[in-house]
C-alpha cells in the first residue's frame, strides 16, 4: 500500500461482499417463487424479495465504487486522501441506512413504510429500483455529496490524471442524475420518461465512466503498459459510450407514450451501444498481451479480462438482441429483458468491482498478491460464477422466446399465467444454476481465508 | 492506435461529443414535452387518478407486475388490464387475494377500501388510454 489512507477502502469492500451474499440469497428465494408460487408467502412476498434483491445490488455496487475510488484516487493523485475520517463516517452512515432500509422492506408492509418515512410529503417510492423511502434517498444524496467532496478535495491537492478525472466525472454524474429520483409527476408518461434519467443514464451512461476508469487503473497496474496508451483508450471508449448511450436512452421511450420518432433515435443509437463494450474487450486483451511485467496477481488479470468479455456479452450482445424497435415491440417486458439485465449487471458492474477487489484486497492486507492456492480458488470462483450467470442468461432467454411466442405472436395468444406454466422448466433449471452461482460465491469468499504461502509485499 | 492520434485529441473529442449529444438529448426532450399532451392522456388525470397512482406506488405493485412493459415479470402486464378485464373484475380480483391455491403465485391482500379500489381502477383506466404506439401486440399484454 503506497498511501496509508487507502486503507479506508477495506471496510467498503468487505461490506460490498457481505451485501452481495444477501443479494444472491434473495435472488434464490425469488427464483424458487417463480416455480413454487407460495414459497415463503406471506412472510416474504415476491415484491419484497425483489426489492431487497435489486436494492442490495445497487447498494453493494455503490460500496464497491466508493471503495475502489478511495483505493484508486490516492495512488493516482499521489497524495493522501483529504479526510480518511470522513470516509469512515460516511461508510457507517451508508451501511446503517442501507440495513435499516432493508429491514423496513422485510418487517413492515410497504404502504406503512411509506407512511412512516414521509412519502406523503414528497411521493418518490414505489417505482422500480427507486423504492427507497424518502429519508433513505436523502441519506444517499448526503453520503454521495460527502464522498464526492472527499474525492474532489483529494484530486485538487494532487496530480490530476485522466483516470482520476474520468472517475470523478462519472461519480459526479451518478450523484446528479440520482436527483431525478425526487421528481415523480402524476403524469405517468413523464414519470417514466425521467425515471430513465436515473436508471439508463446511470447504467448505460455515467457508470460506464466509473467502470472504464477502474478497469484502466487495474490494467496499468497489472500490465505495466504506458499510461498514455491506456488513458487514450479510456477516452475513446467513454466517448463512444456517451455518444451512443445518451440518445440510446430512446430505446426505453418506444412504448410509454413518448413521440414515435424515439423508435428511430433509440434504435439507431442504441444499436451502436455495443461498440464501446467491444472496444473494452479488445482493450483489455490488447493491454494484457502487451504487458511489460508479470504481475503476481493472476486472479486480478482474469477478472479484468472477464469484465471486458462479459460486459460485451451481457450489455452489448444481449442488449442489441432486443433494442431495435420492431423487435422490442415483441420482447418488451418479457423474460428476455430479465436475461439481459442479469448478464449486463454481472458482466459490467459486478465484474469490475470484483476486479478491483481482487487487485486491491491483497495489497490492503499487506501483500502484492495472494498465495497460489488462494488465487486458484478465486479463479475457480470466477469461472463458476461467470459460467452459471451465462447459463442463467441463456435459460431466461429461452423462457423469454417461448413466452413471446405463446403470448404475443401465436395466432391463439395465451394468457400470462398460462404461459408461465409452460416455461417452468426454464425456471427450474435457472434456480439450479443459481445454486451453482452461490457455490461459486462461497468459494470466492473462502479464498480470502486461505492461510500461508503469501507473496511478499510490493 | 497511431501516434498521430494523441490522448489530448481523444480527450477533446470526449468532452465535445458528450456535450453535443447531451444537448441534442435535451432538445429532443423539449420537443417531447411539447408533443406529449397529444399522446399522454393527461387531460384525463383527475384527483382520483392521482390518488390511484399513489396507491399503485405505495403498495409496490411494480414489484410483481409490469406497467407499459416496465417493472417485474412475475405477474401480468397491467397497462392494458382495464381493457382486458374491465373495472368490476379488477376490483373483485384485488379483494379476493390471496387465493391460497397451493403452489400458485400469491398476491397479498392490500385491504383497500371501496373508494381506494375506484381510485386504483381510475388510474388503470387512464393508463390504458395512453397512446403507446399500439403496444402491447395483443390484449394478453
Amino acid at each position: 500500500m503506497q498511501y496509508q489512507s487507502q486503507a479506508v477502502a477495506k471496510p467498503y469492500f468487505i461490506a460490498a461482499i457481505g451485501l452481495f451474499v444477501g443479494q444472491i440469497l434473495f435472488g434464490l428465494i425469488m427464483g424458487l417463487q417463480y416455480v413454487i408460487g407460495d414459497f415463503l408467502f406471506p412472510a416474504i412476498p415476491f415484491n419484497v424479495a425483489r426489492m431487497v434483491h435489486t436494492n442490495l445490488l445497487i447498494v453493494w455496487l455503490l460500496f464497491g465504487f466508493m471503495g475502489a475510488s478511495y483505493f484508486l484516487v490516492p495512488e493516482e493523485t499521489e497524495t493522501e486522501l483529504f479526510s480518511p475520517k470522513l470516509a469512515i463516517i460516511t461508510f457507517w452512515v451508508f451501511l446503517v441506512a442501507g440495513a435499516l432500509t432493508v429491514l423496513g422492506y422485510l418487517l413492515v408492509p410497504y404502504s406503512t413504510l411509506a407512511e412512516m418515512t414521509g412519502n406523503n410529503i414528497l411521493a418518490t417510492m414505489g417505482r422500480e429500483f427507486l423504492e427507497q423511502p424518502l429519508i433513505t434517498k436523502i441519506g444517499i444524496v448526503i453520503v454521495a455529496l460527502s464522498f464526492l467532496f472527499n474525492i474532489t478535495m483529494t484530486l485538487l491537492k494532487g496530480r490530476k490524471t485522466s483516470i482520476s478525472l474520468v472517475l470523478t466525472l462519472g461519480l459526479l454524474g451518478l450523484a446528479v442524475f440520482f436527483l431525478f429520483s425526487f421528481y415523480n409527476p402524476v403524469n405517468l408518461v413523464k414519470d417514466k420518461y425521467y425515471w430513465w434519467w436515473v436508471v439508463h443514464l446511470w447504467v448505460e451512461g455515467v457508470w460506464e465512466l466509473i467502470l472504464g476508469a477502474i478497469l484502466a487503473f487495474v490494467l496499468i497496474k497489472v500490465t505495466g503498459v504506458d499510461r498514455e496508451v491506456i488513458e487514450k483508450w479510456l477516452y475513446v471508449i467513454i466517448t463512444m459510450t456517451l455518444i451512443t448511450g445518451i440518445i440510446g436512452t430512446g430505446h426505453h421511450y418506444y412504448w410509454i407514450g413518448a413521440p414515435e420518432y424515439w423508435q428511430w433515435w433509440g434504435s439507431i443509437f442504441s444499436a451502436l451501444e455495443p461498440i464501446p463494450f467491444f472496444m473494452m474487450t479488445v482493450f483489455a486483451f490488447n493491454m494484457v498481451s502487451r504487458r511489460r511485467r508479470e504481475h503476481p496477481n493472476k486472479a486480478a488479470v482474469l477478472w479484468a479480462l472477464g469484465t471486458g468479455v462479459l460486459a460485451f456479452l451481457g450489455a452489448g450482445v444481449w442488449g442489441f438482441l432486443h433494442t431495435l424497435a420492431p423487435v422490442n415491440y415483441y420482447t418488451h417486458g418479457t423474460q428476455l429483458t430479465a436475461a439481459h439485465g442479469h448478464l449486463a449487471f454481472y458482466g459490467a458492474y459486478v465484474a469490475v468491482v470484483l476486479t478491483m477487489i481482487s487487485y486491491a484486497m491483497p495489497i490492503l492486507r499487506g501483500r502484492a498478491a495472494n498465495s497460489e492456492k488462494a488465487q486458484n480458488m478465486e479463479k475457480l470462483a470466477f469461472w463458476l460464477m461467470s459460467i452459471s450467470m451465462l447459463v442463467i442468461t441463456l435459460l431466461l432467454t429461452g423462457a423469454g422466446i417461448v413466452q413471446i411466442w405463446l403470448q404475443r405472436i401465436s395466432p391463439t395468444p395465451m394468457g400470462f399465467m398460462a404461459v408461465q406454466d409452460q416455461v417452468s422448466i426454464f425456471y427450474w433449471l435457472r434456480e439450479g444454476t443459481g445454486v451453482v452461482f452461490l457455490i461459486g460465491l462461497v468459494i470466492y469468499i473462502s479464498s480470502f481465508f486461505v492461510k500461508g504461502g503469501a507473496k511478499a509485499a510490493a | 492506435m497511431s501516434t498521430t492520434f494523441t490522448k489530448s485529441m481523444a480527450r477533446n473529442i470526449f468532452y465535445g461529443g458528450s456535450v453535443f449529444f447531451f444537448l441534442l438529448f435535451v432538445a429532443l426532450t423539449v420537443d417531447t414535452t411539447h408533443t406529449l399532451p397529444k399522446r399522454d392522456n393527461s387531460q384525463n388525470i383527475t384527483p382520483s387518478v392521482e390518488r390511484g397512482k399513489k396507491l399503485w406506488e405505495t403498495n409496490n405493485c411494480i414489484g410483481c407486475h409490469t406497467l407499459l412493459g416496465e417493472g417485474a415479470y412475475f405477474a401480468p402486464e397491467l397497462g392494458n388490464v382495464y381493457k382486458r378485464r374491465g373495472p368490476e373484475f379488477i376490483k373483485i380480483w384485488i379483494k379476493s387475494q390471496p387465493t391460497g391455491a397451493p403452489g400458485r403465485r400469491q398476491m397479498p391482500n392490500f385491504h383497500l377500501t371501496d373508494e381506494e379500489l375506484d381510485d386504483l381502477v381510475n388510474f388503470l383506466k387512464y393508463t390504458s388510454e395512453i397512446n403507446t404506439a399500439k403496444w402491447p401486440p395483443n390484449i394478453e399484454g
Side-chain angles (χ1 to χ4, degrees):
Chain A
M1 203 164 59
Q2 295 180 22
Y3 296 90
Q4 282 306 314
S5 53
Q6 286 178 292
V8 299
K10 200 170 166 183
Y12 280 88
F13 291 150
I14 294 170
I17 295 170
L19 298 173
F20 183 22
V21 175
Q23 188 215 343
I24 299 311
L25 293 176
F26 277 88
L28 287 170
I29 291 174
M30 294 162 70
L32 205 51
Q33 287 174 333
Y34 255 93
V35 275
I36 304 176
D38 55 357
F39 178 65
L40 289 185
F41 187 86
I44 307 178
F46 180 86
N47 71 309
V48 173
R50 186 176 198 263
M51 258 192 309
V52 176
H53 178 67
T54 56
N55 285 216
L56 280 178
L57 167 69
I58 297 166
V59 170
W60 87 256
L61 290 177
L62 292 179
F63 267 112
F65 289 166
M66 289 197 254
S69 307
Y70 286 134
F71 185 86
L72 178 159
V73 168
E75 220 164 294
E76 282 290 297
T77 56
E78 296 182 335
T79 174
E80 292 287 352
L81 205 59
F82 175 72
S83 172
K85 205 180 209 171
L86 182 63
I88 292 297
I89 294 171
T90 316
F91 169 79
W92 285 108
V93 170
F94 196 34
L95 190 65
V96 170
L100 287 177
T101 303
V102 169
L103 285 177
Y105 291 160
L106 288 168
L107 300 178
V108 187
Y110 192 68
S111 57
T112 314
L113 185 67
E115 202 138 318
M116 284 162 54
T117 54
N119 197 57
N120 289 326
I121 302 164
L122 180 66
T124 66
M125 291 171 70
R127 295 175 302 152
E128 194 185 6
F129 310 130
L130 303 182
E131 296 93 348
Q132 309 82 28
L134 181 64
I135 45 176
T136 307
K137 286 199 180 85
I138 294 170
I140 292 173
V141 171
I142 293 169
V143 166
L145 284 179
S146 105
F147 164 69
L148 266 174
F149 171 75
N150 213 348
I151 294 294
T152 310
M153 293 306 282
T154 313
L155 190 65
L156 288 177
K157 73 185 172 93
R159 183 176 68 144
K160 289 150 196 73
T161 65
S162 300
I163 288 178
S164 52
L165 281 173
V166 169
L167 177 76
T168 310
L169 200 60
L171 296 166
L172 181 70
L174 186 155
V176 167
F177 288 114
F178 184 69
L179 296 178
F180 284 93
S181 71
F182 292 94
Y183 178 61
N184 178 19
V186 181
N187 184 333
L188 185 67
V189 182
K190 284 189 182 167
D191 170 5
K192 285 175 172 290
Y193 191 94
Y194 289 102
W195 178 83
W196 284 112
W197 285 46
V198 187
V199 178
H200 176 96
L201 293 180
W202 265 20
V203 300
E204 291 171 62
V206 291
W207 280 31
E208 285 185 49
L209 270 55
I210 301 169
L211 160 64
I214 296 175
L215 193 61
F217 172 80
V218 174
L219 285 172
I220 286 183
K221 298 293 167 182
V222 298
T223 65
V225 170
D226 191 30
R227 172 181 290 276
E228 283 296 304
V229 176
I230 285 188
E231 290 184 337
K232 186 160 68 178
W233 269 94
L234 174 62
Y235 273 125
V236 174
I237 289 170
I238 60 174
T239 302
M240 287 311 295
T241 298
L242 292 190
I243 67 178
T244 61
I246 294 173
I247 306 292
T249 314
H251 65 188
H252 303 293
Y253 294 162
Y254 300 160
W255 326 115
I256 62 164
E260 285 168 36
Y261 57 65
W262 281 112
Q263 292 182 26
W264 289 97
W265 288 104
S267 296
I268 292 167
F269 279 85
S270 65
L272 304 174
E273 278 187 53
I275 295 173
F277 285 107
F278 183 69
M279 289 169 71
M280 218 176 279
T281 311
V282 176
F283 168 54
F285 276 87
N286 214 332
M287 294 308 112
V288 171
S289 74
R290 286 162 63 179
R291 67 186 176 276
R292 291 176 174 181
R293 70 164 79 115
E294 292 298 331
H295 197 281
N297 193 339
K298 300 289 173 211
V301 177
L302 179 64
W303 277 111
L305 294 173
T307 303
V309 175
L310 293 163
F312 171 64
L313 284 177
V317 176
W318 256 268
F320 180 77
L321 216 60
H322 60 144
T323 202
L324 299 174
V327 177
N328 192 260
Y329 182 70
Y330 292 100
T331 61
H332 182 52
T334 64
Q335 291 299 322
L336 208 68
T337 319
H340 161 60
H342 279 84
L343 196 60
F345 261 102
Y346 177 79
Y349 299 115
V350 172
V352 82
V353 168
L354 297 188
T355 300
M356 189 63 175
I357 292 177
S358 180
Y359 171 73
M361 208 56 175
I363 298 171
L364 289 166
R365 299 169 82 193
R367 48 187 182 255
N370 289 326
S371 67
E372 189 93 3
K373 194 179 163 209
Q375 286 199 42
N376 285 340
M377 273 176 84
E378 191 182 342
K379 287 185 200 165
L380 174 66
F382 165 86
W383 287 109
L384 276 177
M385 289 196 285
S386 301
I387 291 174
S388 56
M389 189 50 79
L390 190 61
V391 173
I392 286 172
T393 302
L394 288 166
L395 289 166
L396 291 179
T397 305
I401 291 169
V402 176
Q403 180 189 12
I404 291 159
W405 185 265
L406 294 176
Q407 194 179 317
R408 292 185 174 167
I409 295 179
S410 150
T412 50
M414 290 167 70
F416 179 91
M417 285 309 299
V419 172
Q420 292 298 302
D421 289 338
Q422 296 296 313
V423 296
S424 64
I425 180 71
F426 290 106
Y427 295 146
W428 274 114
L429 293 169
R430 182 265 301 263
E431 183 69 357
T433 317
V435 173
V436 178
F437 188 98
L438 180 67
I439 294 169
L441 181 56
V442 170
I443 294 174
Y444 174 74
I445 292 169
S446 312
S447 77
F448 288 88
F449 298 97
V450 173
K451 293 260 187 288
K455 301 245 165 62
Chain B
M1 272 176 275
S2 71
T3 44
T4 50
F5 182 70
T6 62
K7 188 175 93 181
S8 67
M9 286 162 76
R11 185 191 58 214
N12 293 341
I13 295 172
F14 166 67
Y15 284 115
S18 305
V19 169
F20 175 81
F21 281 97
F22 190 73
L23 290 177
L24 176 62
F25 187 53
V26 171
L28 287 166
T29 298
V30 170
D31 185 76
T32 297
T33 310
H34 284 298
T35 321
L36 274 192
K38 285 184 221 147
R39 308 177 56 92
D40 65 8
N41 197 27
S42 52
Q43 71 277 11
N44 288 323
I45 297 177
T46 60
S48 172
V49 168
E50 188 167 352
R51 289 192 300 271
K53 182 169 187 272
K54 200 164 176 195
L55 285 166
W56 167 271
E57 289 165 358
T58 53
N59 290 293
N60 194 29
C61 306
I62 205 85
C64 291
H65 294 275
T66 47
L67 190 69
L68 305 187
E70 295 168 357
Y73 321 107
F74 188 70
E77 161 69 28
L78 297 186
N80 65 346
V81 71
Y82 186 87
K83 292 178 176 169
R84 185 164 65 241
R85 301 293 196 184
E88 290 314 308
F89 180 97
I90 297 172
K91 287 191 250 183
I92 293 167
W93 179 265
I94 294 174
K95 276 199 272 193
S96 64
Q97 299 305 311
T99 63
R104 303 295 298 174
R105 296 181 192 175
Q106 298 296 315
M107 172 168 154
N109 193 301
F110 296 104
H111 309 290
L112 302 181
T113 64
D114 286 341
E115 198 199 343
E116 287 174 326
L117 285 169
D118 284 333
D119 292 339
L120 197 54
V121 165
N122 285 335
F123 169 67
L124 292 171
K125 179 175 190 291
Y126 145 76
T127 304
S128 73
E129 290 163 359
I130 291 170
N131 182 347
T132 55
K134 300 193 180 68
W135 192 91
N138 65 49
I139 197 69
E140 296 299 345

